[in-house]
């Protein structure tokens, strides 16, 4: 079983560097190989699931000289994140095949996307905080190249902004890790469970987490990343990049260290402010991808609220929303990509009436949007309900009330975007058609999964409750 962990990591990490030479021979073979590498990571992660649910997670440790070691653990939390990232990543790669068919620099694109997903696999399975940092930085380098994919001066500036923000945060986090090492004499999380750390150390780590998860005040790089191709923005906002931060929070502060009680109030307050400010920005924006990007900043606040309150129901809801938000937000960005790709504009003031010529994209956008809004019976409703109910139980009613207001704002700005783009009278002088078959299938699949995940909510909710129970919160 430990071999499956290594294969899930090494297949995309090592395979990524094979893609450019393969692409010299055949672009189609390169595309299919990139998709296969991501699917290998998903299949390996799914194969590890039964043993984790049985309470026997796969574990691999390699001892190095000078007292150093690194390990990989496939427990419920790691497998949950790995499966979400690799599955949605596979859909994004499939979508990319048509979206970037005539683009330049595609060799580098597939290398960086596959390497990025491999870094995510290494990060979620690692039990060594130093290796978590290394994979964290690999993801930052990959995203830097992907955001600046089109090589325009403005694109490069925004890519540099994202890189500098996240790398700065990671460096501050590394200082926190070194303080922990000076206290414990080890980088191994398996030996640190329950170790108390100071407020200063928690703050240093949170700077890194908030920079990667685009949480106020380190959030502005994410809306600016909308200059990247739609598959990249979907990858950043939905499945992987911004979820690295919330995963690190869960791994370090729920499954790892014991932190002072004050953070169960401070983090939800920061999350609430971030959610409201970003929702307000989304209501004022006219760029379709920017609206969805600010929505991501706002929705990440729900996940932090769920994980930080210390309530088992809220924590399960936060983990569940990682899945639901990944499916729905991935669909929204890919729908926006189809609109931008065919209409050649992202300005919602210049669009309108597109439901007449691209009904599948319109319906998919609406279904994914309804899930992010938190309306039943879609998956987003149940996860948000669990988060808010749990935060009330944890004696944070005012923070819960703020997030209810945030939910109402989400309904307003997403419906505004939908109506402006797909309803009303067409304003463009051209007829905008649906995207390619693979692009349409990708968005339709994510929309269908957002609905099915809500209708069959018992199964994913049971899984996240099992993950929370492994933390030690019994009686959920």
């Amino acid at each position: 079983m430990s071999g499956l962990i290594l294969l899930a990591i090494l297949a995309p990490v090592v395979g990524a560097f094979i893609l450019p030479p393969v692409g010299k021979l055949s672009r189609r073979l390169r595309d299919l190989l990139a998709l296969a590498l991501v699917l290998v990571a998903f299949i390996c992660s799914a194969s590890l699931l039964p043993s984790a649910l049985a309470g026997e997670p796969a574990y691999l440790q390699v001892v190095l000289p000078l007292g150093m070691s690194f390990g990989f653990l496939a427990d419920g939390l790691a497998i949950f994140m790995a499966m979400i990232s690799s599955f949605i990543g596979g859909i994004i790669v499939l979508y990319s095949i048509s979206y970037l068919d005539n683009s330049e620099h595609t060799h580098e694109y597939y290398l960086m996307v596959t390497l990025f997903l491999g870094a995510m696999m290494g990060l979620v399975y690692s039990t060594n905080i130093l290796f978590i940092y290394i994979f964290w930085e690999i993801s930052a380098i990959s995203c830097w190249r992907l955001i600046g994919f089109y090589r325009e001066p403005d694109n490069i500036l925004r890519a540099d902004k994202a890189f500098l923000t996240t790398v700065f945060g990671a460096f501050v986090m590394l200082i926190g890790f070194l303080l922990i090492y000076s206290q414990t004499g080890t980088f191994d999380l398996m030996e640190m469970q329950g170790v108390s750390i100071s407020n200063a150390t928690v703050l240093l780590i949170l700077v890194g987490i908030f920079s990667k998860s685009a949480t106020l005040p380190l959030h502005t790089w994410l809306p600016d990343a909308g200059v990247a191709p739609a598959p990249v923005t979907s990858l950043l906002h939905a499945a992987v990049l911004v979820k690295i931060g919330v995963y690190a929070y869960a791994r370090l502060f729920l499954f790892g260290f014991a932190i002072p009680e004050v953070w169960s109030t401070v983090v939800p307050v920061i999350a609430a402010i971030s959610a409201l400010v970003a929702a307000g920005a989304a209501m004022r924006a006219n760029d379709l991808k920017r609206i969805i990007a600010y929505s991501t900043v706002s929705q990440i606040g729900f996940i932090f609220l769920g994980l930080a309150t210390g309530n088992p129901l809220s924590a399960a809801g936060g983990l569940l929303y990682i899945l639901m938000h990944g499916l729905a937000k991935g669909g929204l960005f890919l729908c926006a990509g189809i609109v931008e790709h065919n209409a050649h504009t992202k300005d919602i003031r210049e669009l309108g009436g597109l439901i007449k010529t691209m009904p599948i994209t319109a319906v998919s956008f609406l279904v994914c949007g309804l899930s992010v809004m938190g309306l039943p019976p879609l998956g987003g409703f149940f996860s948000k309900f669990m988060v808010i109910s749990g935060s009330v139980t944890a004696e944070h009613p005012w923070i819960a009330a703020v997030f209810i207001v945030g939910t109402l704002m989400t309904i307003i700005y997403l419906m505004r975007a939908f109506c402006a783009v797909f309803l009303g009278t067409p304003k463009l002088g051209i007829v905008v058609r649906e995207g390619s078959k693979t692009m349409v299938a990708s968005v339709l699949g994510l929309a269908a999964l957002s609905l099915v995940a809500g209708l069959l909510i018992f199964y994913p909710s049971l899984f996240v409750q099992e993950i929370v129970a492994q933390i030690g919160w019994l009686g959920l």
Side-chain angles (χ1 to χ4, degrees):
M1 299 300 289
S2 59
L4 290 174
I5 303 178
L6 288 178
L7 185 58
I9 299 170
L10 294 178
V13 169
V14 176
F17 295 95
I18 302 173
L19 295 175
V22 170
K24 297 287 186 180
L25 300 175
S26 169
R27 292 168 64 94
R28 187 60 63 198
L29 180 60
R30 176 206 61 196
D31 300 348
L32 295 176
L33 180 58
L35 180 60
L37 293 171
V38 177
L39 292 180
V40 165
F42 173 76
I43 293 170
C44 290
S45 298
S47 300
L48 292 164
L49 184 59
S51 61
L53 292 178
E56 300 177 355
Y59 178 58
L60 172 66
Q61 185 178 40
V62 178
V63 179
L64 301 175
L66 303 176
M68 298 289 289
S69 66
F70 68 90
F72 299 104
L73 175 69
D75 63 353
L77 178 62
I79 294 172
F80 178 69
M81 291 299 302
M83 289 180 63
I84 293 173
S85 301
S86 55
F87 178 76
I88 300 179
I91 292 178
I92 291 170
V93 171
L94 178 65
Y95 177 98
S96 302
I97 294 174
S98 294
Y99 189 91
L100 299 173
D101 189 38
N102 297 316
S103 300
E104 298 180 356
H105 315 300
T106 52
H107 294 334
E108 181 184 350
Y109 171 82
Y110 284 103
L111 185 156
M112 289 300 171
V113 166
T114 309
L115 180 63
F116 177 69
L117 289 167
M120 183 63 175
M121 297 300 104
L123 191 151
V124 300
Y125 286 123
S126 291
T127 62
N128 183 301
I129 56 176
L130 197 56
F131 274 77
I132 288 176
Y133 169 77
I134 291 171
F135 285 117
W136 191 287
E137 293 293 54
I138 292 174
S139 71
I141 294 171
S142 301
C143 290
W144 171 52
R145 300 300 300 175
L146 289 170
I147 294 171
F149 174 79
Y150 288 124
R151 306 293 201 274
E152 298 293 333
D154 184 53
N155 298 42
I156 295 172
L157 284 174
R158 297 189 184 196
D160 290 345
K161 178 181 180 179
F163 180 76
L164 292 173
T165 302
T166 55
V167 168
F168 164 76
F171 177 75
V172 175
M173 182 177 69
L174 178 62
I175 297 174
F177 286 168
L178 294 176
L179 290 177
I180 293 171
Y181 178 76
S182 68
Q183 175 184 341
T184 63
T186 179
F187 289 110
D188 193 343
L189 278 171
M190 302 293 285
E191 300 178 17
M192 298 181 191
Q193 291 186 349
V195 172
S196 297
I197 58 176
S198 66
N199 284 320
T201 304
V202 174
L203 179 60
L204 290 170
I205 295 174
L206 282 177
V207 171
I209 289 174
F210 286 159
S211 69
K212 189 71 85 173
S213 289
T215 300
L216 197 77
L218 301 172
H219 68 292
T220 57
W221 67 267
L222 192 64
D224 286 348
V227 297
V232 173
T233 54
S234 183
L235 195 69
L236 301 184
H237 296 254
V240 189
L241 183 64
V242 295
K243 303 298 170 48
I244 289 177
V246 291
Y247 168 79
Y249 187 94
R251 174 60 72 195
L252 298 176
F253 298 144
L254 300 187
F255 285 77
F257 312 114
I259 63 176
E261 184 67 25
V262 66
W263 295 102
S264 65
T265 299
V266 172
V267 173
V269 168
I270 295 173
I273 295 172
S274 182
L276 282 187
V277 170
M283 294 179 73
R284 294 296 302 272
N286 293 310
D287 183 303
L288 179 58
K289 290 170 72 174
R290 201 169 185 86
I291 293 171
I292 305 172
Y294 276 121
S295 174
T296 295
V297 177
S298 183
Q299 302 309 307
I300 288 295
F302 276 91
I303 300 174
F304 275 123
L305 174 65
L307 299 179
T309 55
N311 177 273
L313 179 62
S314 188
L319 292 176
L320 186 62
Y321 197 44
I322 292 176
L323 169 62
M324 301 308 176
H325 180 263
L327 294 172
K329 190 56 65 69
L332 286 177
F333 266 107
L334 296 185
C335 286
I338 294 176
V339 172
E340 180 188 14
H341 194 262
N342 294 347
H344 309 293
T345 181
K346 299 179 290 181
D347 193 330
I348 63 174
R349 295 169 297 184
E350 300 174 2
L351 299 167
L354 297 186
I355 194 172
K356 299 174 183 177
T357 55
M358 44 196 320
I360 298 177
T361 299
V363 171
S364 299
F365 186 98
L366 180 61
V367 171
C368 292
L370 292 175
S371 183
V372 174
M373 294 174 206
L375 300 181
L378 289 109
F381 166 77
F382 298 99
S383 48
K384 284 190 173 184
F385 179 81
M386 292 167 68
V387 168
I388 293 174
S389 298
S391 62
V392 172
T393 304
E395 300 182 352
H396 293 297
W398 290 108
I399 297 176
V402 170
F403 277 95
I404 292 175
V405 173
T407 297
L408 296 175
M409 295 173 73
T410 303
I411 295 173
I412 293 172
Y413 65 70
L414 284 182
M415 287 307 300
R416 168 179 172 255
F418 174 78
C419 293
V421 174
F422 295 104
L423 302 183
T425 304
K427 300 174 185 177
L428 294 173
I430 58 174
V431 177
V432 182
R433 301 293 183 186
E434 288 282 16
S436 68
K437 292 181 180 179
T438 54
M439 293 166 67
V440 171
S442 299
V443 298
L444 186 60
L446 288 171
L449 287 171
S450 296
L451 177 59
V452 170
L455 297 176
L456 303 178
I457 192 63
F458 173 79
Y459 299 101
S461 64
L462 191 66
F463 184 26
V464 296
Q465 289 179 44
E466 177 62 28
I467 295 174
V468 172
Q470 290 178 6
I471 303 173
W473 288 333
L474 302 176
L476 183 65

